[in-house]
């Protein structure tokens, strides 16, 4: 590692969110281009930078900064540069020159110790002298804090976050309880706090450490989809993490409960946030679950309604069976209704009938789904505009925690949705936190209709909302089971139902839309996958190769999406002189690549541009699972432009590329709510927990026209027999029964 000392002459680019900076540094008379995370750095400052020289394919030799320290200027020339750089508000180059001419190398001492003497300089009065001194003191405090924190291996970006959070109190926090960082500062987890604490000398059996470790264990569990952990599971996991006895851990769970950071219900331990989120949802559901008709008028109204629906069916040439008709009637009669069923059972037809009835009554109707792709499918199936739930709730902004704000929706308890009917599709994808935000925006008297297939994989986020709602048994619900004739002609639909029921499927390749190609070598699978995507399937389903999706259970391994993406990119979007590229680690991104957003980012702005290049709509938020194409790579501006569904264009600074990944192949979990003309499933071998019935069912139901399995038929049969899906620890059904006045079971 090399070290250079110099002053920041010019900042070319600086990302305000993560501090990624491109700048010119003057060091020993040489101008050096430097890049790195330097949040809070200003032009004119003198720094000691540690890093290494790298060769950029476009910009040539650069110094890549790993970490740096700001140092006070030591001579009058450096002092003048610093004061005139804009770092001190109200001091320009001319005034800086006059100050330094007056006080020379003694300038900084004068400002710190005798600031009133600045009034001796033309253009500075007593008040301005004090303002300059205050700003210099603040900068000095920050520099001293950075130096102090760097001794514990803390990066400058994190050190600035710590300083901004605690100011002068940071020294006490670091000495007494550095685990507060994990609670107070966004982006700091237990492991980071634990490493810092170890360097400071905090004992491994510290109460602070154990408490923080318990909260971290529950946070990790939430990442797996759990809303709580049984006490014995929590103790076991925390013991492995902390390396201390389970008795000491259990004692601290009691203390955390007294501090209202945990809720303990019998053997179940909740992080307080998730317990109250579930409880709030249960209470709001209870308020929405009201009859829309007077009880005494019900029999005569039912007869009239049935007759009106039957006449409407004839007029619209729509055919509903008795169960579908019951679903439509129940949705009309109740404030809350759940419609479920597998593929081909007529959910879309049922929704369309509901829509036509509500429309004939002059009601305002909103449609939404968790993802852009699911909303687009809903629009195409119904003819009514559907939006993502985030857009329905009018996502406002999500400024960083440093700005004192969090994600918020404009539609909430104070400004609810102005609709008579709200229909939400693909409810299996909705996690408990998004569900709570939705319920807050729905007032009693609005019909809320929730549609989904509980046999799909649960949401990526915590909870299993649809399944818990159905299992509670407290809400009007219809589960469609009959496969309609047209759907019954599809082996995709037939096989999906057979798999769901645990029945083996035919893999004799006599089908028109379901194929099993027995291949037992990964290299052979690669070859046939490329042939299928480049030539056979596009012609068979009348789609482009980019519309055909490879789904795999795994991220790692020879048939995991990481390996497959590298191979598929090489053939579907090969290098070309006309396509710009940018490398991130071992991944090369290329213009035209198919990519996916892999985490929710509420701060990213998007815009929809007309054919004339004029923005016609804009908004905020790109979400986990959104898929798009790279339109442009701009090395000069250090940014990508990605176009998502609905022609939403998003500009990514290079520093945010960790939120993207190639998506020629994706995990089955990421495909929830999406539908593709054709799906390829490479299934050879893998962990039993992943290779289960639930996963296979979800994968097959993502295909509209064709499923091709490449791999082992024995593996497919094993997945059908394997019901060991990952169960989730959730308490929503229990909270619903409690709110309804029943004993939880």
């Amino acid at each position: 590692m090399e070290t250079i000392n110099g002053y920041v002459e010019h900042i070319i680019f600086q990302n305000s969110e993560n501090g990624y900076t491109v700048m010119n540094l003057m060091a020993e008379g040489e101008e050096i281009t430097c890049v790195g995370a330097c949040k809070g750095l200003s032009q004119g400052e003198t720094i000691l930078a540690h890093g290494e020289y790298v060769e950029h394919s476009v910009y040539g030799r650069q110094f890549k900064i790993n970490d740096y320290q700001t140092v006070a200027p030591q001579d009058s020339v450096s002092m003048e540069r610093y004061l005139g750089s804009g770092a001190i508000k109200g001091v320009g180059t001319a005034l800086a020159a006059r100050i330094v001419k007056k006080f020379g190398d003694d300038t900084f001492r004068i400002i710190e110790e005798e600031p009133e003497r600045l009034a001796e300089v033309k253009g500075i009065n007593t008040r301005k002298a004090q303002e300059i001194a205050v700003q210099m003191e603040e900068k000095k405090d920050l520099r001293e804090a950075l130096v102090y924190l760097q001794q514990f291996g803390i990066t400058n970006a994190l050190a600035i976050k710590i300083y901004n959070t605690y100011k002068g109190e940071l020294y006490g926090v670091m000495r007494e309880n550095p685990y507060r960082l994990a609670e107070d500062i966004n982006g700091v987890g237990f492991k980071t706090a634990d490493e810092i604490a170890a360097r400071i000398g905090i004992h491994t059996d510290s109460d602070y450490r154990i408490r923080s470790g318990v909260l971290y264990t529950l946070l990790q569990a939430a990442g797996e989809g759990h809303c709580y952990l049984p006490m014995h599971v929590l103790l076991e996991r925390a013991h492995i993490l902390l390396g201390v006895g389970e008795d000491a851990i259990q004692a601290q769970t009691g203390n955390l409960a007294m501090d209202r950071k945990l809720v303990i219900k019998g053997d179940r331990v909740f992080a307080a946030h998730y317990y109250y989120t579930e409880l709030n949802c249960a209470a709001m559901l209870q308020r929405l679950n009201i009859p829309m008709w007077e009880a005494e008028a019900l029999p005569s109204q039912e007869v009239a309604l049935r007759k009106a629906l039957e006449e409407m069916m004839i007029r619209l040439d729509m055919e509903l069976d008795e169960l579908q008709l019951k679903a439509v009637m129940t949705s009309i009669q109740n404030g809350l209704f759940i419609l479920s069923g597998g593929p081909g059972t007529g959910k879309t037809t049922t929704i369309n009938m509901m829509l036509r009835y509500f429309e004939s009554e002059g009601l305002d109707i909103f449609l939404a789904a968790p993802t852009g792709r699911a909303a687009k499918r809903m629009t195409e199936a119904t003819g009514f505009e559907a939006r993502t739930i985030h857009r329905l709730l009018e996502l406002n902004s999500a400024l960083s925690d440093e700005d004192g704000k969090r994600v918020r929706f404009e539609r909430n308890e104070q400004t609810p949705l102005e609709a008579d009917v709200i229909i939400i599709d693909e409810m299996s994808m909705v996690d408990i936190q998004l569900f709570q935000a939705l319920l807050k925006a729905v007032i009693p008297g609005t019909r809320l209709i929730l549609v989904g297939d509980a046999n799909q994989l649960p949401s990526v986020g915590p909870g299993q909302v649809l399944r818990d709602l159905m299992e509670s048994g407290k809400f009007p619900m219809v589960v469609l089971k009959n496969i309609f004739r047209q759907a019954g002609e599809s082996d995709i639909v037939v096989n999906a139902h057979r798999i769901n029921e645990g029945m083996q499927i035919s893999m004799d390749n006599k089908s028109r839309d379901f194929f099993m190609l027995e291949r037992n070598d990964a290299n052979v699978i690669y070859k046939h996958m490329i042939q299928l995507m480049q030539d056979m399937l596009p012609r068979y389903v009348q789609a482009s190769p980019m519309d055909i999706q490879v789904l795999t259970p795994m991220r790692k391994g020879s048939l995991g999406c990481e390996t497959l993406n590298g191979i598929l990119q090489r053939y579907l979007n090969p290098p070309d002189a006309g396509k710009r590229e940018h490398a991130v680690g071992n991944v090369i991104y290329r213009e035209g690549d198919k990519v996916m957003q892999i985490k929710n980012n509420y701060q990213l702005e998007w815009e929809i541009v007309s054919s004339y290049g004029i923005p016609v709509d804009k908004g905020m938020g790109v979400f986990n699972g959104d898929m798009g194409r790279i339109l442009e790579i701009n090395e000069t501006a250090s940014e990508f432009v990605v176009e998502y569904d609905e022609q939403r264009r998003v500009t990514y600074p290079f520093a945010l590329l960790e939120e993207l990944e190639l998506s020629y192949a994706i995990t089955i979990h990421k495909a929830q709510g999406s539908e593709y003309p054709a799906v390829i499933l490479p299934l050879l071998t893998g962990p039993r927990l992943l290779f289960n019935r639930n996963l296979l069912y979800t994968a097959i139901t993502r295909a509209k026209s064709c499923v091709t399995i490449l791999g082992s038929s024995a593996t497919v049969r094993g997945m059908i027999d394997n019901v060991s899906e990952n169960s989730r620890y959730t308490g929503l059904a229990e909270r619903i029964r409690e709110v309804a006045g029943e004993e939880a079971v």
Side-chain angles (χ1 to χ4, degrees), residues 408-598:
R408 74 174 188 271
F409 295 103
E410 284 297 304
R411 296 296 177 176
N412 49 42
E413 310 94 314
Q414 282 75 42
T415 53
L417 292 164
E418 297 168 3
D420 301 304
V421 181
I422 299 170
I423 303 177
I424 308 294
D425 199 8
E426 295 288 357
M427 271 299 299
S428 63
M429 298 179 64
V430 177
D431 64 39
I432 191 66
Q433 296 177 108
L434 183 57
F435 191 51
Q436 177 180 237
L438 172 67
L439 293 177
K440 284 180 177 180
V442 182
I443 57 174
T446 301
R447 289 179 176 86
L448 179 62
I449 299 168
L450 307 175
V451 184
D453 180 356
N455 293 308
Q456 297 285 348
L457 289 170
S459 56
V460 174
Q464 47 184 8
V465 171
L466 180 61
R467 189 171 295 186
D468 282 352
L469 293 177
M470 295 173 69
E471 286 181 1
S472 74
K474 303 308 296 179
F475 308 112
M477 174 176 64
V478 170
V479 180
L480 302 176
K481 295 179 179 176
N482 298 329
I483 302 176
F484 284 83
R485 181 180 59 79
Q486 190 174 356
E489 295 172 359
S490 164
D491 286 317
I492 296 173
V493 172
V494 171
N495 286 340
H497 283 273
R498 290 181 67 87
I499 289 166
N500 193 42
E501 292 163 12
M503 300 167 64
Q504 292 298 327
I505 60 175
S506 171
M507 291 182 275
D508 58 9
N509 288 334
K510 293 180 180 178
S511 169
R512 290 180 299 175
D513 60 9
F514 198 100
F515 304 98
M516 175 71 222
L517 304 183
E518 191 80 33
R519 304 290 185 268
N520 293 306
D521 181 275
N523 290 311
V524 176
I525 289 175
Y526 301 153
K527 175 186 172 184
H528 287 282
M529 187 182 296
I530 292 160
Q531 289 175 342
L532 285 166
M533 295 187 76
Q534 284 187 320
D535 182 38
M536 299 177 185
L537 285 176
R539 286 188 287 113
Y540 191 67
V541 299
Q542 300 297 302
S544 78
M546 290 292 186
D547 292 327
I548 293 159
Q549 190 61 53
V550 176
L551 302 180
T552 173
M554 307 166 294
R555 290 191 57 81
K556 305 290 185 182
S558 58
L559 294 179
C561 58
E562 291 180 3
T563 300
L564 291 174
N565 271 317
I567 294 167
L568 293 172
Q569 181 197 42
R570 198 179 312 150
Y571 289 91
L572 297 179
N573 189 31
D576 186 278
K579 296 177 185 174
R580 285 167 288 196
E581 298 180 350
H582 180 78
V584 180
N586 296 324
V587 179
I588 294 174
Y589 290 100
R590 187 172 297 131
E591 289 177 338
D593 270 339
K594 192 173 172 181
V595 292
M596 173 183 278
Q597 175 80 11
I598 58 170

Side-chain angles (χ1 to χ4, degrees), residues 717-737:
R717 287 192 290 271
M719 291 178 77
I720 294 170
D721 290 337
N722 180 12
V723 294
S724 63
E725 62 184 271
N726 286 329
S727 58
R728 290 192 169 189
Y729 298 118
T730 62
L732 180 59
E734 188 176 40
R735 302 287 83 75
I736 289 168
R737 288 190 286 264

Side-chain angles (χ1 to χ4, degrees), residues 160-364:
I160 289 168
K161 280 187 175 183
I162 295 171
Y163 177 79
N164 288 341
T165 302
Y166 302 118
K167 300 295 184 187
E169 295 178 19
L170 75 86
Y171 302 99
V173 170
M174 297 300 291
R175 282 193 302 269
E176 296 166 17
N177 180 17
Y179 293 98
R180 275 185 60 186
L181 272 59
E183 296 180 39
D184 298 339
I185 299 176
N186 188 38
V188 177
F190 169 79
K191 290 191 174 179
T192 301
D194 202 33
E195 289 171 4
I196 294 168
R199 294 189 189 105
I200 290 172
I202 303 291
H203 292 297
T204 56
D205 60 353
S206 155
D207 289 352
Y208 293 130
R209 180 172 185 266
I210 295 172
R211 290 187 191 191
S212 186
V214 168
L215 294 174
Y216 175 75
T217 302
L218 288 170
L219 180 66
Q220 291 295 97
E224 299 166 21
H226 304 299
C227 292
Y228 74 87
L229 285 178
M231 180 66 82
H232 71 279
V233 175
L234 173 63
L235 295 178
E236 182 182 335
R237 289 189 179 195
H239 166 69
I240 293 169
L241 173 73
L242 297 166
V244 299
E246 292 188 3
D247 289 345
I249 296 168
Q250 187 158 10
Q252 292 306 324
T253 61
N255 291 332
L256 284 165
M258 285 191 288
D259 290 343
R260 298 186 178 182
K261 291 182 178 178
L262 298 184
V263 174
I264 302 175
K265 300 282 286 186
D267 185 47
R268 302 176 178 189
V269 185
F270 294 79
H273 167 74
Y274 287 109
Y275 175 80
Y276 289 110
T277 298
E278 288 190 335
L279 187 61
N280 289 342
C281 286
M284 289 186 286
L285 286 164
Q286 180 80 352
R287 289 195 291 272
L288 294 174
N289 187 27
I290 55 175
M292 305 300 280
W293 287 359
E294 296 294 335
E296 57 271 14
L298 198 59
S300 60
Q301 281 185 311
E302 276 194 350
V303 172
L305 175 60
R306 186 182 184 93
K307 183 180 178 183
L309 291 173
E310 288 171 346
E311 289 174 355
M312 190 175 285
M313 286 163 56
I314 295 168
R315 191 167 64 252
L316 297 172
D317 193 24
M318 294 175 70
E319 186 177 339
L320 276 71
D321 68 11
E322 195 59 35
L323 206 52
Q324 289 175 300
L325 195 57
K326 179 186 175 185
V328 176
M329 293 181 67
T330 310
S331 72
I332 295 166
Q333 294 166 347
N334 293 278
L336 182 62
F337 174 67
I338 299 167
L339 176 66
S340 186
T345 56
K347 292 196 299 293
T348 299
T349 303
T350 307
I351 293 169
N352 273 322
M353 190 56 152
M354 293 175 187
L355 289 170
R356 292 334 182 249
Y357 175 82
F358 291 132
E359 185 182 35
S360 71
E361 292 291 303
L363 303 182
D364 291 326

Side-chain angles (χ1 to χ4, degrees), residues 702-716:
R702 298 307 91 207
K704 184 176 182 180
S705 303
C706 184
V707 169
T708 305
I709 301 175
L710 281 168
S712 164
S713 55
T715 296
V716 176

Side-chain angles (χ1 to χ4, degrees), residues 20-53:
Y20 180 79
T21 303
V22 181
M23 62 185 171
N24 292 334
L25 192 76
M26 287 299 296
E28 297 180 0
E30 180 186 2
E31 185 176 272
I32 302 170
T33 300
C34 298
V35 296
C38 305
K39 192 165 186 176
L41 193 63
S42 305
Q43 283 183 189
E45 293 201 72
T46 302
I47 65 169
L48 197 65
H50 313 286
E52 58 189 352
Y53 284 98

